[in-house]
Each structure stands twice: as C-alpha cells, then as structure tokens.
Amino acid sequence: MQGKTQTTLPQFIEIGTKKIKNLNGIFKNHNVACKEVLLLCDDTTLRIGGHDIELILQKQNIGVSNHLVQNSDDGTIVSVREVIRRNAPDLVIGFGGGKVLDVAKLAAAKNNTRFISIPTTVSNDGLASPVSVIKDSNNIPISHITRPPYGVIVDIDVVRQAPARHLKAGVGDLLSNLSAVFDVRLGHERKSEKIDTNALDLAEVGARRLLESQQYDMSSAAFLQNLTQGLIKSGFAMCIFGTSRPASGSEHKISHSIDHHFPPSRGLHGEQVGIAALFTMVLQKNWYLEAVKKFYEKIGFPCKLSYLNLSRDDFTEAVLNATKIRPERYTILEDITPIDEDIRRALKKVNL
Ligand SMILES: [Zn+2]
C-alpha cells in the first residue's frame, strides 16, 4: 500500500435507473458546478454511453473533451495527468470499469481536480473507495491510497449490461469482507491493532445483506442494488478506517501473493479474493462460510483453483508467501501459520 491516509468521503451517491439521462438534474441537486469536463473512458464505454454523457453536458453549455484509457499502469497515469494539465478541466468524469475508474481516481487526485465515478460494471469495491490499483513497471498491481471520488453515480440500466462474470467478481470482493473483518477483530484481540467498529459494521453489513437477500437473479434490480450498495459501503468503510483493511485481510494477501508469484493475473480481482476467502474462512472457522458457499453456488461463482489455472501446489506456495504481503496486518495466516498439510486439508474441505 502506498500513499498517505485520507479520511474524506464522497459527497454524494446516486444509485438507480435512468441516472445518466438525468445527469444534469443530479449535478444541480448536488451543486456540481462545472464549465469544462474531461471524460475518461475506453472505446467500448465511449460507445455505450460516453457520447450520451457528452451530449447531455454540452446541452448545458459545458465544454467536454474525452480521452481514452487503455491500461491502468504507471505510464497511463503520467499521460492522463498530462491531459488534465493541458485541458485544465474543473471536473473529471470516469465512465467505465475498474481500469478506467482507477486511473481517473488517482490521476484526478494527483492533479487536485474533482472526480466523479460513473461505473459501467460493479466488479470490485473501488467504486467509492480511496484505493486505486495501478500496475507498476513489472506489471504487478499496486494499491495506492488516494482521495475517494467526489461523487458516485450508478445507473442500474448500464451495470445490468455488464458481463455476468464481472458481477460475480463483485460478489466475491464484497463477500470477502466477511473474512477481512474477522481478521481485523483478530488483529485487535491478539496484537491490539487499531479497530473502528463503524467502519467494520459498514464493511460487513453490505455483505450480510446480500447473503440474506436470497436474490440470485443477477439481472434483477434488487440484486444489482444490493451488490452496488454493498460495494459502496465497503468503499466508505475504507475511507473511514483510513486504509483498505476492513475490506482486505488474509484473502487479499493470498490474492496479491498469487499476483506476485504467478503473473499475469489469473482472474479478476473479485474472483481471486472470492476464491481465497473460501479458504481463509475455513482457517478462521468463520461463521459465514456455509452461507457464502451457498450464495456462490446459486449464482455460479467459479469456486475452483483450476478456474484460476492454479494447482493446489501453486496455491500452497502463494499462501506460504502471503504473510510477506502487508506484514503489519495481523490475520489468520499469521495467527496459525499454516503448513502444507493444513493448507491441503482446508482446500479439501471447501473442494477447491
Ligand atoms: Zn478487493
């Protein structure tokens, strides 16, 4: 984790249908005055809604230019910062998936420009969080703590079109909070690490609500609302806590260890942490394990290491090296220091 702690929160959140059509109304309600907007998107998102956003803003005599974001790496941050410096917008809008939003969030914050996040998919909890994941020169994803978005607008009509795989990954990232929150409590109990009950409640409540909803139809408004609200709460939890800790415990350490030892990335972030959480929840004897397993089954979440092209030996190696990641965070991995045999037994138990 790089950067320093921020405690600001997004100023507004809008979730619902027809949100993009009503963009000007939303700006008015939340006093988002702007004269010049830079729209960051990719080829696809420009086509499926980016041009609409431009037209809607232009009708209000707001100047708009767009810039396509192809990657989320250090080089892209440098080039996007240069575009922001040149165009001098008073607002940056990120319209896209995780890559576009991560780049927009970090580049806008570094240039001290307001940023509004309009996700086209809800595949991880970066929507409203202060975290931006950017690949370094070795192609390893690095989490940067930065300023969260000024506002978040989620148009359910848009995210409904996202591939099912992305929504499942969003479920994995959200439900993994149940493992992360367990670890924070454990770290507090064993090592007197910092705890913030409000942040933990926020990180946990969205995940619990999703489990309790018994809504498994991923195209239904109820499912999409629950998932989106849960991921946004998760972002707020990180803002309040000041780090990603309430949403990133042993399961995220393992996923980062997989990124380091078996690059390039084996799956979407939410898939990796969602699968790793099944394993850490066995070690934790986590009360939510059965409910998470059932939810995964119902939505067809990929619950196999083979899905990530990893063998049990590979995963074992990733687990054994995971404690080198963010060693300051005490988790179940530091608590029981599992050896090969423990890892194999736990993997068997959840049939990974
Ligand atoms: Zn995550």
Side-chain angles (χ1 to χ4, degrees):
M1 182 70 59
Q2 293 184 349
K4 60 175 188 266
T5 298
Q6 294 281 335
T7 49
T8 52
L9 286 168
Q11 299 298 299
F12 71 89
I13 303 287
E14 291 272 352
I15 307 172
T17 56
K18 300 189 175 60
K19 290 292 176 189
I20 289 182
K21 275 189 187 146
N22 187 33
L23 199 57
N24 285 322
I26 293 174
F27 277 19
K28 212 171 148 201
N29 285 347
H30 298 288
N31 298 316
V32 185
C34 54
K35 287 197 171 74
E36 185 64 40
V37 169
L38 174 66
L39 177 69
L40 296 174
C41 47
D42 61 29
D43 297 317
T44 312
T45 61
L46 183 63
R47 217 176 44 241
I48 64 164
H51 284 311
D52 293 340
I53 293 175
E54 288 180 324
L55 287 173
I56 289 165
L57 295 174
Q58 281 159 354
K59 273 190 188 156
Q60 298 295 312
N61 294 322
I62 297 170
V64 192
S65 52
N66 69 58
H67 179 78
L68 299 184
V69 173
Q70 316 286 5
N71 293 305
S72 52
D73 52 21
D74 288 343
T76 309
I77 293 291
V78 172
S79 57
V80 170
R81 285 194 65 187
E82 177 55 26
V83 175
I84 297 176
R85 199 194 56 75
R86 213 171 44 228
N87 293 18
D90 43 20
L91 177 70
V92 169
I93 295 180
F95 181 63
K99 270 186 199 169
V100 170
L101 300 184
D102 279 341
V103 167
K105 189 192 292 174
L106 189 61
K110 279 182 179 285
N111 283 40
N112 208 16
T113 308
R114 270 183 312 173
F115 161 58
I116 288 184
S117 161
I118 312 184
T120 52
T121 181
V122 283
S123 58
N124 63 54
D125 56 20
L127 314 180
S129 80
V131 180
S132 171
V133 181
I134 303 293
K135 286 185 177 152
D136 68 7
S137 52
N138 296 317
N139 222 21
I140 305 284
I142 305 291
S143 299
H144 300 257
I145 281 276
T146 184
R147 192 195 297 164
Y150 180 79
V152 183
I153 302 169
V154 184
D155 192 323
I156 294 292
D157 302 321
V158 172
V159 296
R160 185 179 275 127
Q161 312 296 325
R165 184 185 172 198
H166 288 210
L167 300 175
K168 287 178 195 174
V171 169
D173 206 19
L174 178 56
L175 296 185
S176 80
N177 286 5
L178 298 168
S179 159
V181 168
F182 180 101
D183 284 333
V184 183
R185 294 200 175 111
L186 187 69
H188 180 67
E189 211 176 284
R190 301 273 206 265
K191 298 279 168 189
S192 304
E193 276 184 26
K194 174 187 162 178
I195 197 160
D196 182 320
T197 358
N198 289 330
L200 294 195
D201 285 352
L202 268 174
E204 206 172 35
V205 73
R208 272 187 22 219
R209 208 164 277 172
L210 188 73
L211 288 179
E212 287 159 8
S213 71
Q214 302 198 7
Q215 293 279 348
Y216 310 114
D217 173 3
M218 292 195 292
S219 62
S220 72
F223 177 92
L224 292 166
Q225 292 261 8
N226 283 334
L227 177 59
T228 307
Q229 279 168 353
L231 290 170
I232 286 176
K233 284 192 178 79
S234 190
F236 271 62
M238 292 186 247
C239 292
I240 293 171
F241 204 87
T243 75
S244 61
R245 173 113 226 225
S248 173
S250 48
E251 72 303 319
H252 274 65
K253 287 192 184 210
I254 293 171
S255 174
H256 292 311
S257 180
I258 291 172
D259 291 336
H260 276 81
H261 291 89
F262 304 99
S265 287
R266 297 300 169 122
L268 298 173
H269 170 78
E271 292 171 337
Q272 291 190 183
V273 298
I275 290 173
L278 284 176
F279 167 79
T280 55
M281 288 173 106
V282 174
L283 300 186
Q284 292 167 340
K285 300 189 173 65
N286 193 306
W287 191 79
Y288 291 107
L289 175 62
E290 288 309 314
V292 171
K293 265 167 62 183
K294 183 183 162 200
F295 200 91
Y296 279 176
E297 239 168 66
K298 291 278 187 186
I299 63 161
F301 186 89
C303 296
K304 285 279 171 203
L305 291 180
S306 56
Y307 177 83
L308 301 175
N309 270 320
L310 292 173
S311 66
R312 284 188 175 173
D313 283 343
D314 296 337
F315 188 81
T316 302
E317 193 186 329
V319 172
L320 293 174
N321 283 289
T323 47
K324 292 178 194 151
I325 312 272
R326 294 177 188 149
E328 74 286 2
R329 294 187 185 182
Y330 192 86
T331 70
I332 193 69
L333 298 177
E334 286 74 13
D335 201 58
I336 59 176
T337 49
I339 55 168
D340 289 36
E341 214 181 294
D342 306 317
I343 297 169
R344 290 194 167 267
R345 207 178 308 125
L347 287 173
K348 249 186 165 170
K349 194 151 187 198
V350 272
N351 206 17
L352 276 176

